[in-house]
Amino acid sequence: AAGETGKDIKVYATDDQPAGILRAYRDALQQGATMVVGPLTRGAVAALAASSLVNVPTLALNQPESDEPVPPNLYLFSLSVEAEARQIARIAFGDGKLGALVVGTDTPLSKRTQQAFVDEWQKLHGKIVGQVDLPQSRDDYPALRETIASHPSDMIFLAASAENSRLARPYIGATVATYATSQVYPGKSAQLKTIDLNGIRFVDMTWLLHPDQPAVMAYPAVQFHS
């Protein structure tokens, strides 16, 4: 939280409980904060958004658990796969795609990603031609070819990890435009594994900097006080 001088930064220790988050936020305001960064978790952001406390510009580092409107001074900065999925829906629709086949797994992350895409796609008046779960066993992946062929579409949204996507790609084929989130990319250290993923269009998350990396340590760090 920035104080009255606009130069001081004070760090408030909090837990993940809504009451503790709101108490820390009140303390920051009472001590003259003119801007607040945080909180971090979804539940905490939701609690703050539902309160009437947000009277100064506040940059939350996540998004609420629902799509309810947030106060005017509350800004959301979130590394959210749901946000990526919604962006992919807008990109694909802008590319002229109309019928989407959604392919993913039964993990909670994949299901959230799929639902975010479907919700945004339907808002754009696109058509969902089907939703297909990837097999749990590698031996069952060849059957994907027939499953995909039975759901004709002009695009595929792939909501799966890099490993699952790499296994599925040969059976999904490359004739239909395929889109994904950053989950599909295994990173530079696994470039040989990305060959099977060539042609998939995806958006990437903001980079995360680790303080102990030499390239980051070369820059002076800001000293905070509590």
Side-chain angles (χ1 to χ4, degrees):
E4 292 178 351
T5 64
K7 298 179 180 179
D8 297 330
I9 296 177
K10 185 170 184 179
V11 178
Y12 293 81
T14 63
D15 53 26
D16 191 31
Q17 300 303 311
I21 295 294
L22 298 181
R23 182 168 55 251
Y25 193 88
R26 288 192 191 95
D27 290 345
L29 295 182
Q30 290 173 358
Q31 294 176 27
T34 57
M35 184 176 70
V36 176
V37 177
L40 180 61
T41 64
R42 284 190 168 207
V45 175
L48 184 60
S51 74
S52 58
L53 297 176
V54 186
N55 296 319
V56 300
T58 301
L59 180 62
L61 303 179
N62 212 318
Q63 63 181 16
E65 296 168 331
S66 67
D67 293 329
E68 295 297 321
V70 299
N73 278 324
L74 184 59
Y75 302 91
L76 307 178
F77 180 77
S78 170
L79 304 180
S80 162
V81 292
E82 291 95 336
E84 287 190 48
R86 289 191 290 270
Q87 184 178 359
I88 281 295
R90 294 190 292 270
I91 290 173
F93 195 80
D95 288 342
K97 309 305 180 186
L98 298 175
L101 174 62
V102 179
V103 179
T105 65
D106 62 355
T107 65
L109 178 62
S110 178
K111 290 300 183 185
R112 292 202 329 260
T113 306
Q114 293 177 58
Q115 191 60 54
F117 175 85
V118 169
D119 290 345
E120 187 68 19
W121 192 250
Q122 291 176 336
K123 286 180 182 178
L124 296 168
H125 303 293
K127 179 182 178 182
I128 300 295
V129 302
Q131 290 184 257
V132 175
D133 282 339
L134 293 176
Q136 295 184 358
S137 171
R138 292 192 178 197
D139 294 337
D140 295 330
Y141 269 80
L144 266 177
R145 196 186 307 275
E146 184 177 345
T147 303
I148 298 297
S150 67
H151 295 83
S153 65
D154 57 8
M155 72 153 288
I156 293 172
F157 176 62
L158 189 55
S161 67
E163 181 62 22
N164 286 126
S165 299
R166 189 174 66 85
L167 291 173
R169 180 63 166 170
Y171 307 107
I172 290 176
T175 57
V176 179
T178 302
Y179 298 77
T181 69
S182 61
Q183 299 295 311
V184 78
Y185 182 57
K188 289 184 176 180
S189 60
Q191 284 189 345
L192 291 178
K193 294 183 178 181
T194 65
I195 295 175
D196 291 332
L197 302 175
N198 284 347
I200 296 179
R201 185 173 183 182
F202 66 96
V203 292
D204 200 3
M205 282 188 174
T206 307
W207 288 7
L208 300 179
L209 299 181
H210 298 280
D212 57 349
Q213 289 182 344
V216 178
M217 293 173 68
Y219 294 91
V222 177
Q223 298 299 317
F224 299 105
H225 63 84
S226 58

